[in-house]
């Protein structure tokens, strides 16, 4: 089966600019996650979707980050305006359902550099 | 919330040796413990997981052990090969099953 697709692979922007990332999960996977991975750290959950509804966005900095999954398939994550500390790899993952019973499949990520 | 500590941060071994990575967790309600392998430029890949009703699980050269009383779990890789070189992450999750990740261990296997 095809994996989780993410684009772009790399992005360099200046602080205060905006940026958007795209994710297409594995076909049929109802649950989609966005993670932020800062260099040298483990992934940190930003938001979880179940179909097109938000399950958990408690760690999403809502003043600057937004995400949507309008049709319950692909998703976009946006940052506006970006700060230097947003430099990280943004990982998208999907699973058949919520919960650990299904396991996660991660995409290769988008590496964001804010200068 | 859950806090996961992972050690060591870097592990260097010779090909054929065994490697052990250890993690501790804080939330006694956590009941699912996956391990991920992340190669350079790629996303983490699930390699093995264990649930709280099991003390040990093995899959070929990798095994995971869980001590619920002490709240720690470990990844064991035997007969290491250069292709095992990667960053390994442990994670722990509770009722929501959303995992909290450790900071990662960079495993280097020297041929």
């Amino acid at each position: 089966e095809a994996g989780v697709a993410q684009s772009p692979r790399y992005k360099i922007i200046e602080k205060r600019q905006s940026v958007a990332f795209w994710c297409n999960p594995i076909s049929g996977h109802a649950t989609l996650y966005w993670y932020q991975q800062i260099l040298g750290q483990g992934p940190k959950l930003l938001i979880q979707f179940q179909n097109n509804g938000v399950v958990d966005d408690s760690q999403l900095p809502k003043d600057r980050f937004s995400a949507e999954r309008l049709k319950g398939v692909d998703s976009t994550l946006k940052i506006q305006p970006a700060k230097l500390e947003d430099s990280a790899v943004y990982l998208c993952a999907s699973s058949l359902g919520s919960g650990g019973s299904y396991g996660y499949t991660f995409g290769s990520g988008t590496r964001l550099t804010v200068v | 919330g859950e806090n996961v500590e992972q050690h060591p941060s870097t592990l260097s071994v010779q090909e054929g040796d065994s490697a052990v990575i250890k993690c501790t967790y804080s939330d006694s309600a956590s009941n699912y413990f996956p391990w991920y392998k992340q190669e350079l430029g790629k996303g983490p890949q699930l390699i093995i997981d264990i649930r709280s009703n099991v003390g040990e699980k093995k899959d070929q050269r990798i095994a995971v052990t869980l001590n619920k009383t002490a709240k720690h779990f470990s990844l064991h890789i035997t007969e290491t090969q250069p292709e095992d070189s990667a960053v390994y992450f442990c994670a722990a999750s509770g009722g929501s099953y959303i995992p909290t990740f450790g900071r990662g261990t960079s495993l280097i296997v020297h041929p």
Side-chain angles (χ1 to χ4, degrees), chain B residues 23-42:
Chain B
C23 289
T24 60
Y25 61 99
S26 60
D27 189 347
S28 56
S30 288
N31 53 16
Y32 176 63
F33 307 92
W35 286 87
Y36 290 83
K37 175 183 180 182
Q38 187 172 27
E39 297 175 323
L40 197 62
K42 298 183 179 180

Side-chain angles (χ1 to χ4, degrees), chain A residues 1-21:
Chain A
E1 62 179 4
V4 175
Q6 288 189 249
S7 67
R9 287 299 311 274
Y10 307 94
K11 191 74 178 179
I12 301 174
I13 62 172
E14 295 182 350
K15 59 184 179 182
R16 291 188 290 275
Q17 285 187 324
S18 62
V19 64
F21 313 127

Side-chain angles (χ1 to χ4, degrees), chain A residues 59-79:
Chain A
Q59 298 193 72
L60 187 73
K62 298 181 187 64
D63 58 334
R64 298 184 301 105
F65 286 64
S66 64
E68 60 183 15
R69 193 185 185 198
L70 294 176
K71 296 183 179 179
V73 180
D74 56 350
S75 174
T76 55
L77 175 69
K78 297 179 181 178
I79 307 175

Side-chain angles (χ1 to χ4, degrees), chain A residues 41-101:
Chain A
Q41 298 182 21
K44 185 187 85 169
L45 180 70
L46 292 175
I47 189 167
Q48 176 191 357
F49 290 95
Q50 180 74 16
N51 296 308
N52 61 349
V54 175
V55 174
D56 184 348
D57 63 357
S58 58
Q59 298 193 72
L60 187 73
K62 298 181 187 64
D63 58 334
R64 298 184 301 105
F65 286 64
S66 64
E68 60 183 15
R69 193 185 185 198
L70 294 176
K71 296 183 179 179
V73 180
D74 56 350
S75 174
T76 55
L77 175 69
K78 297 179 181 178
I79 307 175
Q80 182 179 11
K83 292 185 176 181
L84 295 177
E85 58 260 37
D86 298 332
S87 294
V89 175
Y90 290 85
L91 294 164
C92 179
S94 70
S95 63
L96 274 174
S98 61
S101 298

Side-chain angles (χ1 to χ4, degrees), chain A residues 9 33 35 37 40-43 45 48 56 91 98-104 106-109, chain B residues 32 36 38 40-46 49 51 89 93 96-104:
Chain A
R9 287 299 311 274
Y33 312 82
Y35 279 84
Q37 186 176 24
Q41 298 182 21
L45 180 70
Q48 176 191 357
D56 184 348
L91 294 164
S98 61
S101 298
Y102 301 95
Y104 285 21
F106 282 90
S108 294
Chain B
Y32 176 63
Y36 290 83
Q38 187 172 27
L40 197 62
K42 298 183 179 180
Q45 179 186 12
L46 178 70
D49 56 14
R51 301 184 191 281
F89 292 97
S93 59
S96 70
Y97 281 99
I98 298 173
T100 299
F101 287 80
R103 295 178 67 94

